Amino acid sequence: MRGTAGAALVDVARDPDDLLVVGAGPRGPLRRILRPSVARYVLAHAACAPC
């Protein structure tokens, strides 16, 4: 699958019964600016309910 990590994960886990586990990991201030958070993207766009 091609695309950004967040979009690809959301596309794969599109059914309400799917379970998607994404770790946040340590992120410094510079990394937050340069690379957006995949976990935040998934939480905002996933069809499954957050736990």
Side-chain angles (χ1 to χ4, degrees), residues 1-29:
M1 183 166 266
R2 293 179 187 241
T4 61
L9 289 170
V10 169
D11 189 42
V12 169
R14 70 185 100 175
D15 294 330
D17 292 337
D18 288 340
L19 175 66
L20 182 62
V21 178
V22 180
R27 294 170 52 93

